[in-house]
Amino acid sequence: MDAATITAVFAAAATATYWTRSNLGLTTEVSVEDGYRYTVRLPKGSGKAYIAGRDGYGGDEFFDIEATWGETFPIVEAAMAATRI
């Protein structure tokens, strides 16, 4: 996956308003203009956000592409804002 797509996915996750909790951590799905839906996850406990996979017309692919800390902080803020009661 190219760097521009990775950056776009993490930017979209930083504005995501729907997150789900699981035993793996907080998870959201975002789409960018390439036709895929990406799964971005914040690991339970601590660690950087990462792209766990994508799905689209051609099927599913699994990834483990880690964000930088600078990309992770806004994603954490979006996840916390979306899951606050």
Side-chain angles (χ1 to χ4, degrees):
M1 187 178 342
D2 63 89
T5 301
I6 294 169
T7 301
V9 170
F10 288 132
T15 62
T17 58
Y18 182 77
W19 290 78
T20 57
R21 292 182 190 271
S22 73
N23 62 337
L24 299 175
L26 291 169
T27 303
T28 191
E29 292 183 342
V30 297
S31 296
V32 294
E33 294 183 9
D34 64 355
Y36 288 100
R37 184 176 54 198
Y38 292 86
T39 301
V40 177
R41 193 166 283 137
L42 286 170
K44 194 169 189 169
S46 64
K48 297 177 186 173
Y50 64 98
I51 300 170
R54 71 180 178 183
D55 62 87
Y57 179 72
D60 299 339
E61 293 180 86
F62 297 100
F63 297 114
D64 189 10
I65 301 173
E66 192 173 69
T68 65
W69 283 114
E71 292 168 326
T72 297
F73 293 138
I75 294 171
V76 169
E77 290 298 321
M80 294 299 102
T83 57
R84 265 186 209 114
I85 296 177

